[in-house]
Amino acid sequence: MPSACVTGATGYVASELIRQLLSRGYSIKATVRCAPDSQRVQFLRDLTGSSSLELVQVPDLQQHSEALDAAIAGAQYLFHVASPFRFDGDPNNDIVQPAVQGTRTVLEAAAKHKPGLQRVVVTSSVCGEQPHPFYSLLLTYSSNHMGLAGLLN
């Protein structure tokens, strides 16, 4: 059974990716900030009736942790989807720096799991797209879009 680790599981993109990977038969370890048995992540547990999805609590991706190492361990694919998403505060301190440090931490953790880890995919927050904090963004989803899981083929 193919395996993947997905960071930021409670986000829209990550949860859709998890749904797609589960539909393709993947075993997934997904990081969440809250406790895995929290009501906040019930929608993720509802995605599968089997044991193909394991939620791993990693409260802060900016810090190296055994929990992050455990989430990546045994994965063939790593999707780093977690990223700060907010519209208030200081963009550099509240979005850019945490995103950079979180990505650095995840990639350093991934380096420990070579050669079993075959591919790492890093995404970014839409907050990095627009300089103005009050923007609107129209996203369209096409039924023929391959989705993130299509990157594996």
Side-chain angles (χ1 to χ4, degrees):
M1 174 183 299
S3 60
C5 173
V6 179
T7 66
T10 58
Y12 176 77
V13 173
S15 62
E16 173 60 20
L17 172 60
I18 290 167
R19 187 192 65 74
Q20 289 182 28
L21 291 171
L22 288 171
S23 74
R24 291 174 180 229
Y26 278 72
S27 172
I28 301 169
K29 291 182 187 176
T31 69
V32 294
R33 287 181 289 185
C34 60
D37 60 352
S38 168
Q39 196 59 26
R40 181 165 188 246
V41 294
Q42 182 61 47
F43 77 101
L44 292 169
R45 291 191 303 272
D46 290 344
L47 290 175
T48 180
S50 69
S51 60
S52 297
L53 176 63
E54 177 184 347
L55 301 177
V56 180
Q57 184 177 14
V58 181
D60 186 359
L61 285 175
Q62 295 180 67
Q63 305 293 320
H64 292 276
S65 69
E66 289 181 16
L68 179 58
D69 287 335
I72 298 171
Q76 295 169 290
Y77 304 99
L78 168 60
F79 292 88
H80 177 46
V81 187
S83 190
F85 186 86
R86 56 186 294 174
F87 298 105
D88 59 348
D90 176 27
N92 187 53
N93 289 330
D94 298 332
I95 298 171
V96 176
Q97 293 307 316
V100 169
Q101 183 56 45
T103 300
R104 180 179 290 124
T105 301
V106 169
L107 292 176
E108 288 170 354
K112 298 177 193 176
H113 297 278
K114 296 186 298 188
L117 195 57
Q118 297 173 15
R119 183 172 293 179
V120 176
V121 177
V122 178
T123 64
S124 177
S125 169
V126 70
C127 291
E129 287 287 316
Q130 303 292 327
H132 192 278
F134 303 105
Y135 63 86
S136 63
L137 179 66
L138 176 63
L139 295 175
T140 59
Y141 184 81
S142 169
S143 62
N144 64 2
H145 187 273
M146 72 174 180
L148 284 172
L151 291 170
L152 301 177
N153 296 332

